[in-house]
Amino acid sequence: MSDFFVSAQIYLPILLKGMWLTISVTLLSLALATALGLVWALFRTSGVRWLSISTRIVVEFVRGIPILVVLFYIYFVMPEFGLDLTAFQAGVAGLALTYSCYIGETFRAGIEAVDRGQVEAAKSIGMKTPLMMRRVVLPQAFKIVVPPYANNMVMLLKDSSQVSVISVAELTMQGKMLASSTFDNMTVFTLVALLYLCLTVPLNFAMRYVEVKMGQAR
């Protein structure tokens, strides 16, 4: 056990560099996925048939492709079409695109769960659709989607490890390189697991706190 702590003091500074990159990838991907997911949700619930159907096709298409394949396609194939991204940019784009579809479906379900009577009431007093969505529908939908959205956040954080396959030196990749150079697999990957827990456990508690507070405010 003493050897573990001695080794941990040596390995942690290296792994922490990867952890900060993991946080960066997660936050940027989450921001983009949330914005794009809201667009998908608004398109799906727009009432415009062709827009709703085309969005559904795009969402189902992306959801049906593994994240690794999306990352490979963006990083290795898109340069042939003139879009040459760095590994970090490709990783963020791939995660954001994939998770925007899951988050979009979460938002869509929340929007459709809002009482239709309130929507009709808003229309009856002359509210235009953008104003109605901003003041009536989205605030209520947000409260509904907090639990599944929090779950998507945690899943995205863990799936950020997938970007290691395109050489982004986040936490998992740093762990792999460190383990291959030291052959101390047990210590390295135990530390990697503990660092992931240091990220996910507080996030779970924070989102649970927000969920409870919002439930009390209803």
Side-chain angles (χ1 to χ4, degrees):
M1 183 61 71
S2 60
D3 290 341
F4 175 86
F5 289 109
V6 171
S7 299
Q9 292 178 353
I10 300 172
Y11 301 156
L12 271 176
I14 300 171
L15 295 176
L16 286 174
K17 292 180 182 178
M19 188 179 77
W20 293 124
L21 192 56
T22 291
I23 294 172
S24 299
V25 169
T26 301
L27 291 178
L28 286 172
S29 300
L30 181 64
L32 292 173
T34 300
L36 187 55
L38 182 59
V39 172
W40 297 144
L42 293 175
F43 283 175
R44 287 290 305 275
T45 58
S46 65
V48 180
R49 183 175 176 79
W50 69 267
L51 187 59
S52 177
I53 292 175
S54 60
T55 303
R56 181 175 182 179
I57 291 172
V58 170
V59 167
E60 294 300 327
F61 179 79
V62 175
R63 289 174 68 185
I65 302 175
I67 293 179
L68 286 178
V69 177
V70 174
L71 292 172
F72 286 148
Y73 201 90
I74 292 175
Y75 188 57
F76 294 113
V77 179
M78 293 309 293
E80 297 182 17
F81 297 94
L83 183 62
D84 194 2
L85 301 177
T86 65
F88 180 84
Q89 292 169 338
V92 169
L95 289 173
L97 176 61
T98 300
Y99 269 86
S100 71
C101 296
Y102 293 102
I103 291 174
E105 287 299 284
T106 298
F107 288 164
R108 178 190 62 80
I111 291 171
E112 293 180 346
V114 174
D115 185 5
R116 303 311 299 174
Q118 297 190 40
V119 174
E120 295 301 325
K123 290 180 178 179
S124 69
I125 61 174
M127 272 194 183
K128 299 296 184 181
T129 299
L131 182 62
M132 178 187 67
M133 293 296 293
R134 189 170 71 250
R135 292 190 176 178
V136 178
V137 178
L138 291 181
Q140 297 182 71
F142 178 73
K143 295 179 181 180
I144 296 171
V145 304
V146 166
Y149 181 76
N151 184 63
N152 283 324
M153 289 175 61
V154 175
M155 293 298 297
L156 175 55
L157 174 58
K158 293 189 291 185
D159 277 344
S160 66
S161 63
Q162 304 275 17
V163 300
S164 63
V165 300
I166 55 173
S167 304
V168 178
E170 45 69 69
L171 180 55
T172 300
M173 173 59 83
Q174 290 285 10
K176 288 179 182 177
M177 293 190 296
L178 191 57
S180 65
S181 63
T182 63
F183 300 102
D184 192 359
N185 294 300
M186 186 190 74
T187 302
V188 171
F189 288 112
T190 298
L191 291 172
V192 169
L194 290 174
L195 288 174
Y196 272 113
L197 286 173
C198 287
L199 295 174
T200 57
V201 172
L203 180 59
N204 279 323
F205 277 109
M207 295 310 298
R208 177 59 181 166
Y209 176 79
V210 171
E211 182 183 345
V212 170
K213 285 295 183 182
M214 294 187 69
Q216 293 174 350
R218 291 181 185 177

